[in-house]
Amino acid sequence: MTGTDEQGLSGANSPLLAPSDSSPDYGGNSDENLTSELQYSGGWFIWALTFSAGISGLLFGYDTGVISSTLVTVGSDLSNRPLTTLDKSLVTSCTSLFALIASPLTGVLADKLGRRKVILGADALFALGALVQAFTSQVWGMILGRSIVGLAVGSASAVTPLYISELAPSHARGRLVTILSLFITGGQVVAYIVGWLFSTTPGGWRWIVGIGAFPAFFQLVILAFLPETPRWLVQAGLDARAKTVLKKIYQDCPGRDRVVDRLVRVISGEIDQEASEMGQPKSRGTKPQWLHDTLQRGQQLLHGGNRRALIIAMMLQAVQQLCGFNSLMYFSATIFASLSFSSPTLTSLSVAMTNFIFTLLAFILIDKVGRRRILLYSIPIMVFALIVCAFSFSSIDGTWNSQTPTRHAETQGSHSSFVPLAILFCLTVYTAAYALGLGNVPWQQSELFPLNVRSLGSALATATNWGSNFIIGLTFLPMMEFLSPSWTFALYALVCMAGWVAVWAIYPEMSGLGLEEVKGLLAHGWGVKESLQRRQNSRYV
């Protein structure tokens, strides 16, 4: 048993315990109270908030996963003709395109209106988009509905991790944000189950897309009981309301009142310091000149530690999508139909379940193993699985055709009948490794940014995610047809290799650091060596 297991983080030599120069003193038992804050994982209130906000992730996952079964069951119900490759690519990629448009705007609105109100707006868009899809009879109507859902997904994916990370105690932040990923992957599992249940029902695809409206209406109701984040409230000059929320979050923490007072003073000090750096008066609580402030924050993002934080966040989000994973979420049923699986939607469910199970494992491991290490271990497994998958596809490259995805099993030899199982196994291993690392870690992006640029930085990183997602959704089927499946998956493997090198070079370990501590870590460099030393010290104190 290490010193961490026996004593927590109470050692005097731990860099994590050294209060910053701007941090106010508690009084008599500052070390004891600071240690209790660092170790505190949250009571029922923070977990209830996280699960309530996580419904946005459920909607996010459902609406990205549902398209897979829809594409293979819609038949000729839209515009009275079968969907072409262009139709499928546009219906799939328009969601990502409009998510790309929404995510940077969400960052501005989250600063102006608050995180909670943006989540409410996203719920309304989720419900509207689902209903438009369910009742349309034209391809353009489906594209419109998917575009509205894209606005909702872009908003929710940008602001919900921000909302949870600003509420979470630092010791549990990784796990609480990972709960959002659990909801996302759980939503994808539900989408595949619903798709399978309605796959043989005439017009069943309308139920598949329309059911997504129900969780949105449910979250709209419970939003009335969700508070705004303390950090946004302090920034708005509402310190008393911020203290009320923090007291509920830290209700079981020893020395709660002094912990809350310290957090409010630290956040206030950070806001005032950042306002001073931007050449602004200390005017918390006054009506913000939001356009002017947003432009200034954009300039702040391009300098020093903020620029390094943005590069890291955008790099992780780009690799998460360009590695090709969402091609499985969007087109897995199409892939498995082309490989002559008797129930492509049910086969796709095995991939979605793997994603969910290993996301649950990531929830257990992410704060223990660390963000950086879990990426460095999992990405090579993804590379291996993609390369084997590419070789497996090489024997059937000439048979791929997304327009006629079903083939008769009797036309295949004994060797080719083994190939689909090999591909399924490789994609399952790839999914497991992805869920452990790249599926979760990039969404910890909010912890990289200081408060004054946190929502804008997170929004730009999320926009990178959706821009990359748009590229994958638009190009996957054409690449499979014109480059061949082997080269398509080989290119995804190359992206993973490049991502591993980037993580090794510039991504520091953030586990266990408070949101206000990360700013100092990136102030004068990438902070990789310093972060690893801090983690080493905290383990053996």
Side-chain angles (χ1 to χ4, degrees), residues 59-121:
L59 289 162
F60 174 0
Y62 187 87
D63 281 300
T64 54
V66 77
I67 195 63
S68 176
S69 54
T70 301
L71 291 178
V72 296
T73 57
V74 70
S76 300
D77 290 350
L78 294 176
S79 299
N80 297 314
R81 59 175 174 79
L83 295 178
T84 66
T85 296
L86 179 61
D87 291 335
K88 293 178 181 180
S89 297
L90 290 176
V91 167
T92 302
S93 61
C94 68
T95 303
S96 304
L97 177 61
F98 279 83
L100 168 63
I101 294 171
S103 48
L105 296 177
T106 297
V108 176
L109 293 175
D111 276 339
K112 180 176 173 61
L113 303 176
R115 286 58 162 138
R116 175 177 168 271
K117 290 181 179 178
V118 174
I119 297 176
L120 188 150

Side-chain angles (χ1 to χ4, degrees), residues 378-388 430 493-494 496-497:
S378 62
I379 292 177
I381 299 174
M382 294 173 61
V383 173
F384 175 78
L386 286 170
I387 291 175
V388 175
Y430 165 77
L494 287 175
C496 291
M497 292 178 191

